[in-house]
Amino acid sequence: GVDCVQGSTSLFVPDVPVVYLVVRRALPREWARFREHHYKDHSIKGTSVAFVGLVEGRLACFTAVTQEALHFVRRGVLSGVWPQDH
């Protein structure tokens, strides 16, 4: 156990597992492993910059960043009309 600062009561502190996550740029072919989980369709915008996360060397997550039109959210809110692809 570990001694508490304010008393002699002993606390049980279990061993906490250490998880190593490596994040790197994704290879184009890695999208195929994740596309079935995409919320819209199975495509990804060609201008996207994609990253994968690996846990213990295995693919665990995928994310991509893409540039959107300037103030597209504000423009949509003010117009009350949202583009079909957003």
Side-chain angles (χ1 to χ4, degrees):
V2 175
D3 290 332
C4 291
V5 175
Q6 296 181 346
S8 60
T9 306
S10 185
L11 295 174
F12 173 71
V13 180
D15 290 332
V16 177
V18 177
V19 177
Y20 293 99
L21 172 67
V22 174
V23 177
R24 64 166 172 76
R25 287 284 297 266
L27 300 171
R29 68 177 180 260
E30 290 173 318
W31 168 243
R33 299 279 304 271
F34 295 94
R35 68 179 170 211
E36 71 180 86
H37 306 289
H38 192 272
Y39 73 102
K40 290 184 182 178
D41 57 37
H42 293 172
S43 64
I44 189 169
K45 194 172 182 179
T47 58
S48 297
V49 178
F51 300 89
V52 290
L54 295 95
V55 175
E56 296 183 10
R58 297 179 65 193
L59 287 174
C61 56
F62 181 97
T63 192
V65 180
T66 189
Q67 186 173 357
E68 291 286 352
L70 185 62
H71 303 299
F72 84 98
V73 172
R74 182 172 183 266
R75 189 174 61 231
V77 169
L78 294 176
S79 72
V81 178
W82 289 96
Q84 289 294 326
D85 64 341
H86 283 82

